[in-house]
Amino acid sequence: MSNPVLENIRTRRVIREMTDEPVDPHHLEQILEAARWSPTGGNQRPNRFVVIDDPELQRLIRLVAPGMFQHAPILILICVDFAIFHHQLDPEDDPLYPIDVGKAAQTMALAAHSLGLSTGPVTSFNKAAVKKILNLPEQVIPCLFLCVGHKAPQTQFAMRGAQRIRWQDLCYRNRYETWDR
Amino acid sequence: MAKSSEKRLLSEDQAVELIALFLSSARLLISEPPAYGPLRLLTATERLSAMILDDASPTTKKLLQVCIDRIPHTYTLANEVKEYAAAMDELCDALGQCLVDRAKLQGGS
Ligand SMILES: Cc1cc2nc3c(=O)[nH]c(=O)nc-3n(C[C@H](O)[C@H](O)[C@H](O)COP(=O)(O)O)c2cc1C
């Protein structure tokens, strides 16, 4: 891979050990602005972003987030405001919002990586408890925390995959024909 | 009930922290990959070990230190059943030794 965008995509890793060095507020704003440019299904823009920099709130969130190994200086919670879907029968029937959340998360992760910051997504958290801790309105559903900070120098805890995967292992042509054939 | 001769090792805040971890995990694990179940139990073990390390007896301390030292590496093996089982067997061996030492069992070869 040769251009800086592709290189950025390839070199971003999920980081679970961070230092307590603060995140430059200007960088944080650039990451949030990047999320604003992330596309959404039907251009409905249901994502809401809550930045949590209060250490006590972060502590409480970690208590109910078994999947959060990071002690990150900044947490960005991506929520979905279900009030946006008021004209639809049930957004769960054909849900586009998880795709919107995923696109925003990856957009922010790549933006952060390009600024020399590290990120880790966390969805293993207790939604009901987080709603209470962060005083979220009833119709606002917490979906994904993006931990943002600086990578710690020590070895990172990363789940080893069962096997190494090449892109060709995941891709098919036309009528589900394997790529390597 | 704890025997009255044994001192308390956990504060109320620490107990609530563990309850939060257990309840949150019990809710989440319904829809998470099966390998996450053992991970959550290991997280709880690691946290509890760190909470009581300073005040535990020397015998228990040995086990707690093994948990604190080994569990972070064990996490990384969750997708590799054989290596994970071997790492867990080492932890369980330390556990068995701690139980034997605490019960002051005699004899055997
Ligand atoms: C939707 C989603 C949710 C995730 N939730 C968690 C989580 O709760 N805790 C965690 O440690 N990692 C979480 N991850 C990180 C994955 O485990 C990670 O993508 C995987 O380890 C690959 O890491 P890499 O990008 O560094 O190769 C999540 C990733 C995604 C895409």
Side-chain angles (χ1 to χ4, degrees), chain A residues 63 66 124-126 159-160, chain B residues 17 24 32 36 40 79-80:
Chain A
L63 291 186
S124 290
F125 66 90
N126 178 335
M159 281 231 237
R160 275 197 233 160
Chain B
E17 178 172 342
S24 300
E32 292 193 315
Y36 283 21
R40 301 299 179 234
N79 288 325
E80 293 165 83

Side-chain angles (χ1 to χ4, degrees), chain A residues 46-48 78-83 85 97-98 100-101 139-143:
Chain A
N47 291 343
R48 298 292 177 268
I78 309 179
C79 302
V80 168
D81 185 348
F82 269 67
F85 305 117
Y97 72 87
D100 299 339
V101 170
Q139 79 283 1
V140 173
I141 307 302
C143 294

Side-chain angles (χ1 to χ4, degrees), chain A residues 66 69, chain B residues 10 14 17-19 21-22 25 36-53 60-72 74-75 84 87-88 90-92 94-95:
Chain A
F69 298 89
Chain B
L10 277 186
Q14 290 170 323
E17 178 172 342
L18 290 175
I19 288 174
L21 176 59
F22 289 134
S25 299
Y36 283 21
L39 284 191
R40 301 299 179 234
L41 288 173
L42 285 176
T43 301
T45 306
E46 188 187 7
R47 288 196 192 163
L48 178 56
S49 300
M51 285 172 186
I52 66 174
L53 181 69
T60 305
K61 227 177 220 177
K62 253 198 251 170
L63 170 65
L64 302 177
Q65 198 60 60
V66 173
C67 291
I68 292 166
D69 294 343
R70 303 271 181 86
I71 285 177
T74 311
Y75 283 143
Y84 174 80
M88 282 309 300
E90 281 183 33
L91 282 172
C92 292
L95 167 67

Side-chain angles (χ1 to χ4, degrees), chain A residues 2-157:
Chain A
S2 51
N3 77 48
V5 174
L6 293 176
E7 189 63 13
N8 186 47
I9 290 171
R10 197 178 60 77
T11 55
R12 177 216 50 81
R13 290 276 70 77
V14 166
I15 295 303
R16 297 188 175 91
E17 313 258 12
M18 295 182 177
T19 67
D20 49 15
E21 183 183 344
V23 171
D24 179 335
H26 180 57
H27 283 168
L28 175 62
E29 286 176 14
Q30 286 180 293
I31 293 167
L32 294 169
E33 193 190 355
R36 176 255 172 274
W37 290 108
S38 176
T40 58
N43 206 12
Q44 297 200 88
R45 301 195 181 127
N47 291 343
R48 298 292 177 268
F49 303 89
V50 184
V51 174
I52 302 111
D53 58 2
D54 180 307
E56 179 61 3
L57 289 176
Q58 292 182 348
R59 184 182 74 84
L60 295 177
I61 289 165
R62 273 199 305 276
L63 291 186
V64 296
M68 189 178 288
F69 298 89
Q70 297 87 347
H71 284 70
I74 293 287
L75 303 179
I76 302 175
L77 175 61
I78 309 179
C79 302
V80 168
D81 185 348
F82 269 67
I84 298 292
F85 305 117
H86 58 87
H87 56 287
Q88 290 169 3
L89 286 178
D90 183 357
E92 295 292 347
D93 279 348
D94 185 14
L96 292 178
Y97 72 87
I99 301 174
D100 299 339
V101 170
K103 289 183 92 71
Q106 187 68 354
T107 298
M108 288 197 287
L110 291 172
H113 184 44
S114 78
L115 295 166
L117 292 162
S118 295
T119 58
V122 175
T123 51
S124 290
F125 66 90
N126 178 335
K127 289 188 178 179
V130 163
K131 277 195 80 152
K132 290 258 191 254
I133 293 167
L134 295 179
N135 189 34
L136 299 182
E138 181 60 29
Q139 79 283 1
V140 173
I141 307 302
C143 294
L144 186 150
F145 282 102
L146 192 70
C147 303
V148 186
H150 298 265
K151 183 179 174 200
Q154 73 257 37
T155 337
Q156 293 290 319
F157 144 47

